[in-house]
């Protein structure tokens, strides 16, 4: 794609019959995200959303993106220490080329 041009890539969030996450990131199957710089706007409002979005971020890393920046303006549990656990989970994302960045 052209430098400086951003494209919206929708993500379909759902559940399988067994209750497991079913997350489909558009652009992975057809290679549209290959070698792209990704900006992931996270809405980490509760533990379930953290895990679903972690699956999407992991899938993007596995799709060989050039870089990924995650913007997470809110992390749940800031008073109970859960934010530290969430930060550790996000920092364990698979390597996706250049180091990914987490901005909160």
């Amino acid at each position: 794609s052209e430098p400086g041009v951003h494209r919206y890539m929708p993500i379909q969030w759902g559940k399988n019959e067994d209750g497991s996450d079913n997350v489909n990131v558009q652009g992975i199957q057809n290679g549209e995200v290959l070698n792209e710089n990704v900006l992931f706007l996270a809405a980490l409002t509760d533990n379930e959303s953290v895990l679903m979005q972690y699956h999407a971020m992991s899938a993007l890393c596995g799709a060989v993106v050039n870089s990924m920046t995650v913007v997470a303006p809110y992390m749940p549990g800031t008073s109970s220490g859960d934010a530290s656990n969430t930060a550790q989970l996000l920092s364990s994302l698979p390597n996706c080329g250049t180091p990914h960045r987490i901005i909160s």
Side-chain angles (χ1 to χ4, degrees):
S1 72
E2 298 175 42
V5 176
H6 298 90
R7 292 181 297 144
Y8 173 71
M9 302 298 250
I11 300 175
Q12 296 166 347
W13 309 98
K15 294 282 186 182
N16 294 315
E17 288 182 19
D18 64 359
S20 62
D21 295 336
N22 183 358
V23 180
N24 182 13
V25 182
Q26 181 181 319
I28 288 181
Q29 294 296 327
N30 60 12
E32 285 183 72
V33 297
L34 181 67
N35 295 321
E36 293 289 338
N37 297 313
V38 173
L39 175 64
F40 190 97
L41 304 175
L44 307 176
T45 55
D46 55 38
N47 289 337
E48 182 177 7
S49 68
V50 169
L51 290 177
M52 286 188 86
Q53 291 176 75
Y54 181 83
H55 289 139
M57 290 180 256
S58 294
L60 284 164
C61 288
V64 194
V65 298
N66 183 52
S67 69
M68 182 165 59
T69 299
V70 178
V71 177
Y74 171 80
M75 287 201 196
T78 53
S79 62
S80 66
D82 286 344
S84 175
N85 293 337
T86 301
Q88 287 179 345
L89 178 68
L90 295 177
S91 67
S92 72
L93 282 166
N95 187 1
C96 58
T98 59
H100 48 271
R101 299 182 305 165
I102 311 293
I103 302 171
S104 62

